[in-house]
Amino acid sequence: MVRPAFLLFLLLTLAGARAQTPDASPSVAPPASPSPAATSDASSVTPATTSTTPRVTFSHVNVDGPYIAMTFDDGPSAANTPRLLDLAAKDHIKLTFFLIGENAARYPKLVQRELAEGHEVGNHSYTHPDLAKMSDDAVRSEIQKTQDAIIAASGYKPVLMRPPYGALTPRQRQWVARDFGFKIILWEVDPLDWKNPGPSVVASRIIAATRPGYIILSHDIHSQTVDAMPVVFDTLLAKGYKFVTVSELLAMDKGPVAKPSPNGSKVSDPAAPVMALANP
């Protein structure tokens, strides 16, 4: 009788031990944590967390009409700017000039004439360096000296800035826009006129690439560029385009617009495109 009792005791002991052992975890992988990119994408569409960083860089805007902004860099030029102003006056069109501070100081009467005839002037640095490779203090000096030169020449304080070569880092764009109250202006159309390909080539490149809302880059320090302008102006006017200053164009902005992507889908395009390599 001892043996059966012992066996019964052993069975009862094993059963009690099993009852106190936790069940095994189910063989299901835990939910994956969202990646940082996914977290960012998700939060970006939540109204409470949407970024409020203002857009400060422009190469085009979404407009309800055939409006364009023709811009000229590196002047004023004693040899070429007066002739360009005569052409603009003849066709009753408005232009925007991004001035080198040294030239504004050298030719104050041309700065005055540009403004008196309804055009806009902007800041293009004092000596045309690559600002993206400079310290913040050096960038600030280049910009402020140009502001001072234009104000001394005309009494006008520019609200637009175009960096030489289009070169400003994203961080620089933000603080330059904030500290100086600028819009940073790039371009959609670059005829590479600084390479002096000839007036007909400059004209054909501008005419072929221009679309409503575009900002067009040229240089009034090159005689070939000014030689191209009668054809550019006459052809674009005949196509129904209306020339306005950059500030006037920005004021017409209807906001982001869906734009075809390389793969054929539509993407929102609120920011400026990648800059062309150029020598503006």
Side-chain angles (χ1 to χ4, degrees), residues 18-257:
R18 182 169 182 178
Q20 296 177 24
T21 302
D23 292 336
S25 298
S27 57
V28 178
S33 298
S35 67
T39 302
S40 175
D41 290 344
S43 64
S44 68
V45 297
T46 303
T49 57
T50 299
S51 172
T52 57
T53 302
R55 179 183 177 189
V56 299
T57 305
F58 298 83
S59 64
H60 67 279
V61 295
N62 176 21
V63 294
D64 262 349
Y67 299 98
I68 56 175
M70 191 85 195
T71 69
F72 293 86
D73 288 8
D74 296 355
S77 160
N80 298 304
T81 303
R83 188 158 57 98
L84 177 59
L85 290 170
D86 290 344
L87 293 170
K90 172 180 172 292
D91 288 327
H92 307 288
I93 63 178
K94 302 306 176 188
L95 310 172
T96 300
F97 295 90
F98 287 96
L99 307 182
I100 294 294
E102 289 182 330
N103 289 336
R106 187 176 296 120
Y107 304 114
K109 291 190 181 302
L110 285 177
V111 181
Q112 295 166 18
R113 181 181 171 188
E114 288 170 345
L115 290 164
E117 295 183 7
H119 308 292
E120 185 169 22
V121 301
N123 189 312
H124 195 45
S125 82
Y126 200 78
T127 61
H128 205 279
D130 185 341
L131 300 176
K133 297 179 179 178
M134 298 171 65
S135 69
D136 286 357
D137 286 345
V139 171
R140 189 180 302 277
S141 176
E142 279 280 334
I143 294 172
Q144 188 60 60
K145 286 174 67 178
T146 306
Q147 291 289 87
D148 293 344
I150 293 172
I151 292 170
S154 64
Y156 177 77
K157 181 180 179 181
V159 296
L160 306 177
M161 188 265 178
R162 173 174 283 161
Y165 317 104
L168 272 184
T169 67
R171 183 190 64 81
Q172 287 175 322
R173 293 182 194 182
Q174 291 298 322
W175 76 254
V176 166
R178 180 193 67 235
D179 291 2
F180 288 93
F182 284 145
K183 295 289 191 299
I184 310 299
I185 307 302
L186 302 180
W187 57 86
E188 277 287 351
V189 180
D190 179 6
L192 300 177
D193 59 323
W194 56 275
K195 292 185 176 182
N196 289 319
S200 63
V201 174
V202 172
S204 64
R205 287 173 177 172
I206 292 173
I207 292 164
T210 296
R211 300 290 183 275
Y214 276 16
I215 297 171
I216 304 158
L217 169 68
S218 288
H219 301 78
D220 55 323
I221 60 170
H222 300 303
S223 60
Q224 289 188 2
T225 299
V226 178
D227 291 342
M229 288 304 110
V231 173
V232 171
F233 293 165
D234 290 349
T235 304
L236 293 179
L237 286 169
K239 288 176 176 285
Y241 284 104
K242 301 180 186 301
F243 292 79
V244 296
T245 67
V246 168
S247 286
E248 288 172 336
L249 190 70
L250 298 187
M252 300 177 190
D253 190 7
K254 307 293 287 185
V257 62

